[in-house]
Amino acid sequence: MTERDLDVVVFGATGVTGRRVAAYLAERAPGTGVRWAVAARDPEKARRLLAQDGVAAPEILVADVAEPSTLVTMAARARVVLNLVGPYTRYGRPVIEACVDAGAHYADLTGEIPFVAQVIDEVHQRAVDAGVKIVQVCGFESLPPDLAVALAAETARRRWHDDLAHVDVEVSWSMPPGLPRPSDGISGGTFQSLVAVAESDADASVVTDPAALVDDPVAADAVRARSPIAVRPRRNDGGAVVAPMAPAAFINPAVVHRTTALLAAESGAHVLPFAYREGIALSGPAPTLPLRYATAGVLSGVQLAILQTARARPHVRSRIAGALGRVLPSSGFGPSADRLEGWRWQLAVRARTSGGATVRVRVDAAGHPGYLATARMLGEAGLMLAEHRTTPDRAGCLTPATALGTEHVDRFEHARLRFSVDD
């Protein structure tokens, strides 16, 4: 990649999140010297929308998923391509193929686990041979929990020469002032990704499989036995009601377990999978307990609906997906600019080792988790991937933790994410 004239290219910079990624790179460029550009099907539209955000891209490339040659041209100029064009089940594969063929690293924000599993099966070895990192699920899902759990595992090995046995991850947040709006929640792009997963011909069991991304069949069976995914509301030790993770409880577990499996295979060690569970912690005074349980119940109902849809026959899934695609918000649906700032959120990891020691890792973050914070962390991940010797010397279809490593996790403070370990 020494002859590339661009470090990072943002493909899909006309969407809500893509524009935020471009804004982040523009903010970081003076201090890093990054050579960046955006790519879009319609350059004039991209220039106009970015100008509305006060962003002037150094260059706008023409790239269209319907014209593979434009994708190869884009990837051949870049060290890293950040792909914001979803749903990825429909549009992601040509971009990945172009990056592998042109020798460019790749990262995206997909939470479509069947698609990720398919890419691993069909592209991993080619990416290894090409020396290319393919890093999917690299936003709010699943970068913070993946890196935080990796930090906990490293701390356990360093302090006590022990492996993790149980991991609890809980997310909590505070919203900006004012009445909540429908667009504050799950984005149109996320809704359409769920539709794409439902209507795809992928193996339905992959959707809700915690070991969907684990290659070794023996390790995968151990993950399924030890760490099944549960969506029922529960209470934690502090009295908070824990609801299933949004937008789906079936994304992070698959990524976190793949990280453990990849690192174990790399070291040649036999590591038993840990029991992993996660959720959204709903805290409040005692009188609000019924309301908090009701909220958790609604979120659980949504997850159960996803589960039942995934288990339906293909023709039934297709009909459901078609109906949902017509009524759910489109990919352009998202919060207004005045609702992106003002969010504060935390991700807390409590891990226990086989010997009974406890490690706590905390992520303190600012910005809307699904839009602003996600855009910033993807932008910083792109900068790290573009820099020589900043990330581990690995290639193939990787997770955020295995692709980026934990040595430079403090870099994410630029993205308003702060990781801290309390052992």
Side-chain angles (χ1 to χ4, degrees):
M1 297 189 189
T2 55
E3 298 178 359
R4 308 295 169 106
D5 66 318
L6 294 171
D7 295 312
V8 182
V9 171
V10 182
F11 178 45
T14 58
V16 176
T17 311
R19 289 160 65 180
R20 301 278 74 77
V21 176
Y24 182 77
L25 292 180
E27 174 189 317
R28 292 281 281 134
T32 61
V34 61
R35 302 165 301 168
W36 69 283
V38 303
R41 182 174 55 184
D42 184 344
E44 288 306 316
K45 178 181 178 182
R47 184 175 291 107
R48 182 178 69 255
L49 291 176
L50 290 173
Q52 292 176 7
D53 300 327
V55 177
E59 185 177 358
I60 301 180
L61 313 181
V62 178
D64 188 342
V65 292
E67 298 183 23
S69 62
T70 64
L71 302 177
V72 174
T73 300
M74 169 187 69
R77 294 184 58 188
R79 292 177 179 270
V80 181
V81 173
L82 303 179
N83 184 14
L84 283 299
V85 180
Y88 295 92
T89 300
R90 297 175 187 159
Y91 306 121
R93 186 62 178 268
V95 189
I96 294 173
E97 294 286 351
C99 287
V100 173
D101 290 343
H105 298 315
Y106 168 96
D108 69 27
L109 297 176
T110 187
E112 301 155 41
I113 294 300
F115 173 64
V116 179
Q118 183 183 52
V119 171
I120 291 169
D121 288 342
E122 300 175 4
V123 181
H124 175 71
Q125 190 56 52
R126 288 171 48 209
V128 170
D129 296 340
V132 166
K133 288 181 169 72
I134 305 297
V135 194
Q136 300 189 266
V137 206
C138 197
F140 178 71
E141 306 94 15
S142 296
L143 186 151
D146 197 29
L147 281 173
V149 173
L151 281 169
E154 289 177 3
T155 301
R157 285 192 294 271
R158 184 179 68 251
R159 294 278 183 172
W160 304 289
H161 305 287
D162 203 357
D163 295 317
L164 300 183
H166 298 271
V167 176
D168 269 300
V169 174
E170 293 180 4
V171 174
S172 58
W173 58 65
S174 60
M175 298 175 62
L179 291 175
R181 304 173 190 174
S183 57
D184 286 342
I186 299 176
S187 71
T190 299
F191 280 125
Q192 292 304 317
S193 290
L194 294 174
V195 171
V197 169
E199 70 181 3
S200 73
D201 58 1
D203 182 357
S205 64
V206 174
V207 176
T208 57
D209 182 3
L213 308 182
V214 176
D215 299 319
D216 179 6
V218 175
D221 287 342
V223 168
R224 296 182 188 108
R226 185 163 174 76
S227 189
I229 298 173
V231 299
R232 180 175 298 176
R234 56 185 173 83
R235 295 283 293 276
N236 66 13
D237 293 341
V241 176
V242 181
M245 189 67 77
F250 315 109
I251 299 173
N252 294 333
V255 176
V256 170
H257 287 304
R258 176 167 175 78
T259 292
T260 302
L262 286 175
L263 294 176
E266 184 176 277
S267 66
H270 177 69
V271 179
L272 288 175
F274 47 74
Y276 176 88
R277 65 178 181 178
E278 63 176 14
I280 301 170
L282 305 176
S283 301
T288 67
L289 183 61
L291 177 60
R292 286 183 280 140
Y293 258 118
T295 302
V298 170
L299 292 174
S300 294
V302 171
Q303 304 295 340
L304 287 171
I306 294 172
L307 179 63
Q308 293 304 317
T309 300
R311 291 174 175 172
R313 296 179 181 273
H315 71 279
V316 175
R317 291 166 55 199
S318 180
R319 287 203 299 268
I320 293 173
L324 290 175
R326 290 189 293 271
V327 301
L328 291 174
S330 66
S331 295
F333 178 80
S336 57
D338 65 319
R339 299 292 292 177
L340 292 174
E341 298 283 2
W343 290 74
R344 296 290 182 271
W345 55 276
Q346 298 81 37
L347 183 145
V349 174
R350 183 179 182 274
R352 192 168 73 250
T353 71
S354 300
T358 300
V359 184
R360 289 182 173 85
V361 180
R362 180 180 171 109
V363 183
D364 293 281
H368 190 292
Y371 294 97
L372 188 55
T374 280
R376 289 168 173 166
M377 66 181 83
L378 181 66
E380 192 62 38
L383 293 176
M384 294 171 68
L385 290 170
E387 295 175 10
H388 186 51
R389 295 182 178 175
T390 297
T391 59
D393 185 18
R394 299 186 181 108
C397 295
L398 305 173
T399 60
T402 55
L404 302 174
T406 59
E407 182 179 357
H408 299 289
V409 73
D410 59 330
R411 284 278 299 267
F412 285 99
E413 293 187 22
H414 293 289
R416 288 69 157 179
L417 273 78
R418 183 176 184 275
F419 291 80
S420 56
V421 180
D422 177 12
D423 55 1

